Amino acid sequence: EADIYQTPRYLVIGTGKKITLECSQTMGHDKMYWYQQDPGMELHLIHYSYGVNSTEKGDLSSESTVSRIRTEHFPLTLESARPSHTSQYLCASSGPPGGTKEKLFFGSGTQLSVL
Amino acid sequence: KNQVEQSPQSLIILEGKNCTLQCNYTVSPFSNLRWYKQDTGRGPVSLTIMTFSENTKSNGRYTATLDADTKQSSLHITASQLSDSASYICVVSDRGSTLGRLYFGRGTQLTVWP
């Protein structure tokens, strides 16, 4: 069982609101990721971090931002939510470091609906 | 373009039956291939990880095979149970020294009926 947690599990908000999706892991992993997933579609990487104070944009363009002030915490923020942001957001972390079999652990996800 | 294609898109089987899910990829260079199980509304959970030199890997009733020459993998589920109902995702990594870039398939939605 992975020790990576996401809150909230579900979020319904109105257009224009600022939101923060929380993600925490207790495994001491340096690498953390945010993925976006729509029903029946593949996961798309939107942000990743290889350690404290390190953040990079992923393959899918996103209007969200992330921060990594502490190893265990990797929150994602949307300054002004829009209906196009409606999706499932999955946080993940990987470790132990190195090797081809480095394991990737996912949180349970946040299902975001913007009205 | 690096891609991961899975088939079938969806599958319905009766409890107790076996089934095989397919994954074809064009990712190059190839590092490893992973199968994940994703329950509805949850995050994916790792089932198996196979590198270039591994042809088969088992995890309980789940057995994955890999043919790196033809760039194909399969996931065989034996004696299916109702709890096997989920989406099964094939993921291919393109680098060996780190986790590498991951290419995700769209998944096969498996439904097991009693």
Side-chain angles (χ1 to χ4, degrees):
Chain A
E1 199 70 27
D3 295 321
I4 179 165
Y5 308 99
Q6 290 185 242
T7 57
R9 288 278 288 118
Y10 304 94
L11 181 61
V12 181
I13 60 169
T15 298
K17 298 292 186 182
K18 176 181 179 179
I19 61 166
T20 296
L21 308 185
E22 301 289 347
C23 177
S24 295
Q25 51 95 6
T26 60
M27 296 173 281
H29 291 166
D30 287 325
K31 299 174 186 175
M32 295 189 74
Y33 314 82
W34 276 102
Y35 290 90
Q36 187 173 339
Q37 184 183 30
D38 292 319
M41 302 296 288
E42 64 268 44
L43 277 71
H44 290 286
L45 181 67
I46 51 176
H47 296 283
Y48 62 97
S49 167
Y50 282 174
V52 171
N53 294 325
S54 154
T55 61
E56 300 287 345
K57 288 187 178 296
D59 305 320
L60 183 67
S61 175
S62 174
E63 294 165 342
S64 59
T65 59
V66 292
S67 62
R68 190 85 183 277
I69 299 173
R70 303 198 317 265
T71 298
E72 62 271 21
H73 196 213
F74 191 40
L76 181 145
T77 298
L78 274 168
E79 290 293 332
S80 180
R82 295 206 302 270
S84 61
H85 296 139
T86 295
S87 187
Q88 174 157 333
Y89 293 84
L90 290 162
C91 179
S93 70
S94 65
T100 58
K101 294 191 177 182
E102 185 168 321
K103 290 189 174 182
L104 185 65
F105 300 92
F106 287 88
S108 293
T110 293
Q111 180 60 53
L112 174 65
S113 296
V114 184
L115 306 179
Chain B
K1 179 182 177 182
N2 287 322
Q3 284 188 324
V4 177
E5 300 287 343
Q6 292 188 241
S7 62
Q9 183 176 350
S10 61
L11 181 63
I12 299 173
I13 62 173
L14 294 177
E15 186 177 14
K17 298 296 185 182
N18 304 335
C19 67
T20 300
L21 314 180
Q22 300 291 341
C23 174
N24 296 339
Y25 62 92
T26 60
V27 176
S28 181
F30 172 83
S31 174
N32 58 77
L33 186 146
R34 304 156 186 257
W35 282 96
Y36 283 84
K37 176 186 179 186
Q38 184 177 22
D39 293 318
T40 300
R42 311 292 291 188
V45 175
S46 179
L47 294 175
T48 63
I49 304 174
M50 289 183 294
T51 60
F52 183 90
S53 60
E54 295 175 296
N55 300 120
T56 184
K57 183 67 70 74
S58 290
N59 178 0
R61 294 181 295 102
Y62 301 101
T63 299
T65 64
L66 173 65
D67 186 335
D69 292 329
T70 61
K71 298 187 176 181
Q72 296 180 325
S73 175
S74 65
L75 180 69
H76 187 73
I77 304 174
T78 303
S80 61
Q81 300 176 357
L82 299 179
S83 59
D84 292 332
S85 294
S87 178
Y88 291 84
I89 302 172
C90 177
V91 186
V92 180
S93 175
D94 70 352
R95 230 173 27 233
S97 59
T98 66
L99 183 63
R101 178 170 179 165
L102 298 179
Y103 297 86
F104 289 81
R106 294 185 175 185
T108 291
Q109 183 64 49
L110 174 66
T111 303
V112 181
W113 283 1

